[in-house]
Amino acid sequence: MNNRRFLFWTLTPGFAVLAILALISIAGALYFSVMDRSLRYPDYHFAGLYNYQRLLSDRRFLNALQISATWEIVTVVGSLVVATLLSVLIFETVKSFWIRNLICFAFLAPVLLPRVAAAFIWRFLYSPSLGLINYLVGLTGLGPVEFLADPSLALMSVAIVDIWQWGLFFTVIMLKLLETLPRDPIEAAQLDNARTWEIHAFVTLPMLKAPIISLALVKAVESLRSFDLIYVMTGGGPGTATETLDLYAYQAGINLGGRISYASAMSILLLVLTTIVFTLIWRGIRKWSV
Amino acid sequence: MANIRCVNIRKSYGGHSVIENLNLDIADHEFVVFLGPSGCGKSTMLRMIAGLEDITGGTVSIGDRDVTHLHPGERGVAMVFQSYALYPHMTVEENIAFGLRRQKVPQAEIARRVQHVAGLLGLESFLQRKPKNLSGGQQQRVAMARAMIKTPKLFLFDEPLSNLDAKLRERLRTEIRKMHLDLKTTTIFVTHDQLEAMTIADRIVLMRAGAIEQQGTPSEIFDRPATRFVADFIGSPAMNFRGCVVSRDGGSVSLVAGSIRLEVPASEFDGLQHGAKVEVGLRPSKMDLAAEGDLNAISGKIILVENMGSEAQVIVDVDGQEMSFVTKAFRTLEPGQPVSFSIEPASIHVFSKETGRSLRKAG
Ligand SMILES: Nc1ncnc2c1ncn2[C@@H]1O[C@H](COP(=O)(O)OP(=O)(O)OP(=O)(O)O)[C@@H](O)[C@H]1O
Ligand SMILES: [Mg+2]
């Protein structure tokens, strides 16, 4: 067997399974989205674009869209900012090889936790009556803060958990990246009288532009899949303050209404939207990074 | 502009000592070359002067100011690295201007100076390119432009030419030398290439295992090596060494080894007692084919003639050991022929067998 055939026969089954799974589920969703299938009635009929039309005037859907966008931006930017600041701080202050490795080890722990476990830990930490955080807040003389029950705080409180997991993980990656950089340009910058923050802002971080962009993309994709974290911590509440698109789709399709067709339409819209947005971002990055 | 003074410099990594009590004075406007074999501490010394390496003990002053604990950026030095160390994501122009931008020099002034320096080094047409789109020689010039634009008190070069081909190296060497004649900035240049050192230096500081072995002008180092190590390190083809026995006969002193018998003026040397064992060094380039009746002729059989263009190195078997000399009249020489070559007494070097120091009297 020559090399090409070998590649063909080893890759094809895997790709075929993946393609079939993806295509069948998308085709299924597409099919249901133009019906009026609901768990309440056994029969269903063709409904055209009715579900899509209703979505565009559904305020809860538009709210979820906005929450999802906010969630993406806050968690991606937050993780990267935390990772950048912490990694530079460690790079500049911790010179001992052993302590660095110890810190890396500790920073890897959160992301190794299952999301649901992380969510429960933080729900406990955030708790107004039992939580450690509110105990500390209490020491400063402020009353208990309802981190998860206050609509204006809930989304940020959940985002902090996400950043705690991924920001610390990315810190480790960025620290390792900083360590791989050649020393010479950094020393040249020192001789050019650049202060430490200037060296990082103008020399090291720009040199790491490509890997940082990759981290951002990875995190953007990952943030789309935060259903479990949000579901366990707030269930989308209070009200709809933390209800992202996937949570709403779940609520509409399975939990409450059983309106399968409506939820399918929502999923299809979500798929189209993320594809478009990511394509645009990808193009923009490619143009910008040459 | 500034003079440099290093007093009792020590450097150790962990417990491992790399430089021991090194003292060095460099005058204003001087062009000094640190020369020595790999690992002798040249770069370490340079980096301590630049402030890139902590100094374990001793003090460094630049222009009579103690800079031992000063940040590299505040010492007024500019350095050109062997790897060039350009900022890869910046254009040539940004690379050159980076230092001035950090010093908050006004934009118009920066633009003017970038143009000026780029003009001097022939970089005008590359200003908008990234370093990766430049050849090695062009990158080297950018690195020099980046150093020059700061008008430093002191230029430091760490083997800046060793990644270039021979021809370009020669040209840039001349350019660096010319630049020094123009700007007169005090310069320290590190290299392990002795030819480069000889051609470019006002003064050579020859280092060995973290200490200065000898310092002086290129001719002093070449003609009056203080130790066998220096004599061996400097000069190409390398010096011939022979263990000889001193034989005093009235007023004349001879150095004898097998069929070799070299007469030297006794007054110019110390410690040539009768019967003493010494090491004699003969530079190939100071020897030539012997004429009839020449003093200090050495005879042997030709092993090999290495043509170097206008002259050749002739390798000769003398009493079973190889020696070499350089001659322009090599066209008639063939391997296997007997040959006889000679050296002037003034070019004979005698070293102590024990200490390796030259026995020639100072002055
Ligand atoms: N970071 C370090 N840790 C331990 N030892 C070091 C370190 N840097 C240099 N050394 C040692 O110090 C000595 C001098 O090194 P240095 O780089 O100054 O040599 P050099 O004269 O510049 O040699 P070359 O011509 O090869 O560049 C070497 O023996 C080297 O092993
Ligand atoms: Mg070196």
Side-chain angles (χ1 to χ4, degrees):
Chain A
M1 231 191 296
N2 64 24
N3 202 19
R4 277 203 159 175
R5 267 179 147 181
F6 176 75
L7 279 180
F8 180 80
W9 286 112
T10 45
L11 289 181
T12 309
F15 272 116
V17 171
L18 282 179
I20 290 167
L21 286 178
L23 287 180
I24 286 182
S25 55
I26 291 174
L30 210 55
Y31 174 74
F32 279 121
S33 75
V34 291
M35 299 290 159
D36 63 351
R37 181 87 171 94
S38 152
L39 289 181
R40 240 176 288 174
Y41 313 106
D43 57 334
Y44 53 97
H45 312 282
F46 181 71
L49 293 177
Y50 173 73
N51 286 315
Y52 292 97
Q53 258 167 9
R54 272 198 50 201
L55 270 178
L56 294 183
S57 53
D58 180 348
R59 293 201 15 215
R60 194 166 164 189
F61 171 74
L62 296 177
N63 172 65
L65 201 60
Q66 195 197 338
I67 301 269
S68 281
T70 313
W71 172 260
E72 279 288 312
I73 293 168
V74 168
T75 53
V76 172
V77 173
S79 301
L80 285 176
V81 168
V82 164
T84 306
L85 293 179
L86 276 180
S87 60
V88 167
L89 186 73
I90 296 169
F91 184 73
E92 286 299 333
T93 54
V94 181
K95 299 291 176 196
S96 150
F97 172 80
W98 285 107
I99 299 180
R100 267 197 198 181
N101 273 0
L102 217 63
I103 291 175
C104 289
F105 189 68
F107 279 16
L108 281 177
V111 83
L112 296 178
L113 281 179
R115 284 234 173 224
V116 176
F120 272 114
I121 292 172
W122 278 83
R123 244 175 83 168
F124 191 67
L125 285 174
Y126 276 143
S127 151
S129 48
L130 306 165
L132 178 67
I133 298 177
N134 262 310
Y135 171 73
L136 295 175
V137 171
L139 291 182
T140 68
L142 297 169
V145 180
E146 298 274 0
F147 288 102
L148 297 176
D150 183 338
S152 61
L153 288 180
L155 189 65
M156 291 305 140
S157 302
V158 182
I160 284 174
V161 180
D162 186 73
I163 294 170
W164 170 71
Q165 287 196 293
W166 288 88
L168 295 190
F169 175 45
F170 284 180
T171 303
V172 174
I173 295 180
M174 282 190 54
L175 182 62
K176 294 297 162 199
L177 286 171
L178 284 172
E179 287 173 359
T180 61
L181 283 181
R183 290 292 311 168
D184 289 357
I186 299 177
E187 291 179 342
Q190 283 178 348
L191 286 164
D192 272 343
N193 210 8
R195 276 162 285 176
T196 306
W197 73 265
E198 287 175 317
I199 292 177
H200 289 290
F202 299 130
V203 180
T204 59
L205 293 174
M207 282 170 82
L208 292 176
K209 193 164 83 176
I212 291 175
I213 289 172
S214 310
L215 284 184
L217 282 176
V218 168
K219 182 61 189 129
V221 174
E222 201 283 331
S223 286
L224 284 174
R225 312 193 295 175
S226 307
F227 179 87
D228 39 6
L229 179 70
I230 301 174
Y231 187 78
V232 172
M233 288 199 73
T234 65
T240 56
T242 59
E243 191 172 76
T244 52
L245 281 172
D246 43 0
L247 253 87
Y248 182 34
Y250 170 78
Q251 299 285 17
I254 293 168
N255 214 15
L256 302 171
R259 292 180 297 166
I260 291 183
S261 285
Y262 196 54
S264 299
M266 214 182 300
S267 319
I268 293 293
L269 265 187
L270 186 56
L271 179 72
V272 172
L273 213 60
T274 48
T275 309
I276 292 175
V277 170
F278 270 80
T279 310
L280 289 180
I281 292 178
W282 186 244
R283 285 243 178 111
I285 287 171
R286 283 240 312 250
K287 217 183 265 170
W288 176 63
S289 58
V290 285
Chain B
M1 309 276 155
N3 59 318
I4 318 297
R5 164 164 249 157
C6 302
V7 183
N8 288 328
I9 299 290
R10 283 188 298 112
K11 173 73 186 174
S12 47
Y13 291 106
H16 173 66
S17 172
V18 176
I19 290 184
E20 271 301 338
N21 280 326
L22 190 143
N23 289 288
L24 180 65
D25 274 307
I26 297 172
D28 199 1
H29 307 317
E30 207 176 2
F31 196 115
V32 168
V33 170
F34 287 178
L35 178 64
S38 188
C40 70
K42 308 179 295 288
S43 301
T44 307
M45 204 48 218
L46 197 74
R47 292 166 53 80
M48 284 195 289
I49 294 171
L52 297 173
E53 205 80 61
D54 289 334
I55 300 174
T56 312
T59 56
V60 174
S61 18
I62 299 177
D64 295 327
R65 186 164 70 127
D66 184 347
V67 299
T68 313
H69 301 292
L70 222 52
H71 182 270
E74 293 163 358
R75 299 188 179 198
V77 304
M79 182 155 165
V80 177
F81 295 76
Q82 178 174 355
S83 63
Y84 316 137
L86 299 178
Y87 309 123
H89 55 285
M90 297 186 201
T91 63
V92 168
E93 180 174 16
E94 289 163 338
N95 261 285
I96 299 175
F98 186 79
L100 297 185
R101 298 225 162 102
R102 301 285 76 73
Q103 289 169 14
K104 306 278 181 293
V105 175
Q107 199 59 47
E109 162 91 2
I110 293 180
R112 193 182 59 71
R113 278 163 73 175
V114 168
Q115 280 308 322
H116 176 68
V117 175
L120 284 182
L121 288 164
L123 290 169
E124 294 105 326
S125 45
F126 307 124
L127 285 177
Q128 297 315 318
R129 287 212 209 156
K130 294 269 175 72
K132 66 167 184 285
N133 300 327
L134 296 176
S135 73
Q138 289 158 349
Q139 291 183 31
Q140 171 63 44
R141 279 163 208 266
V142 176
M144 275 169 57
R146 187 174 66 179
M148 272 171 75
I149 198 166
K150 294 193 289 184
T151 54
K153 287 188 255 177
L154 172 63
F155 272 126
L156 303 173
F157 291 89
D158 192 354
E159 309 203 18
L161 307 179
S162 51
N163 290 344
L164 304 173
D165 68 63
K167 202 150 191 120
L168 195 55
R169 194 149 66 199
E170 223 165 275
R171 207 167 82 214
L172 281 170
R173 191 164 74 201
T174 316
E175 270 178 37
I176 291 176
R177 187 67 201 165
K178 271 207 285 217
M179 180 177 107
H180 180 255
L181 288 179
D182 275 351
L183 304 174
K184 303 218 165 32
T185 311
T186 315
T187 302
I188 305 178
F189 187 104
V190 166
T191 181
H192 58 240
D193 178 344
Q194 42 136 339
L195 186 69
E196 197 165 285
M198 299 291 281
T199 48
I200 208 170
D202 287 334
R203 177 154 60 108
I204 293 177
V205 172
L206 208 146
M207 295 178 63
R208 175 194 192 184
I212 296 178
E213 187 84 357
Q214 183 179 5
Q215 44 180 317
T217 63
S219 0
E220 277 168 11
I221 299 255
F222 187 80
D223 294 330
R224 293 277 175 272
T227 65
R228 186 189 185 284
F229 175 82
V230 175
D232 193 19
F233 192 81
I234 295 282
S236 171
M239 192 180 264
N240 300 292
F241 289 98
R242 273 288 166 118
C244 291
V245 179
V246 179
S247 144
R248 280 193 107 108
D249 182 13
S252 78
V253 175
S254 310
L255 307 164
V256 182
S259 69
I260 302 174
R261 187 177 186 90
L262 301 167
E263 235 172 81
V264 293
S267 58
E268 287 183 19
F269 294 91
D270 281 327
L272 294 186
Q273 288 90 11
H274 184 77
K277 291 203 166 93
V278 294
E279 186 99 7
V280 171
L282 307 171
R283 268 199 204 293
S285 56
K286 296 277 184 184
M287 297 191 281
D288 207 336
L289 289 170
E292 206 59 46
D294 256 0
L295 197 65
N296 295 338
I298 302 171
S299 309
K301 206 159 85 179
I302 298 178
I303 299 176
L304 202 62
V305 180
E306 285 180 351
N307 190 340
M308 302 187 293
S310 62
E311 50 190 22
Q313 180 183 200
V314 183
I315 299 169
V316 184
D317 179 334
V318 180
D319 301 338
Q321 267 178 292
E322 285 182 12
M323 292 185 74
S324 70
F325 70 97
V326 172
T327 180
K328 284 193 162 56
F330 62 92
R331 309 272 172 207
T332 57
L333 301 180
E334 293 284 342
Q337 281 177 0
V339 72
S340 156
F341 51 99
S342 65
I343 187 163
E344 287 179 24
S347 299
I348 297 176
H349 302 281
V350 186
F351 305 100
S352 153
K353 266 251 197 266
E354 289 82 42
T355 64
R357 299 207 68 79
S358 173
L359 296 176
R360 190 177 280 276
K361 282 183 184 158

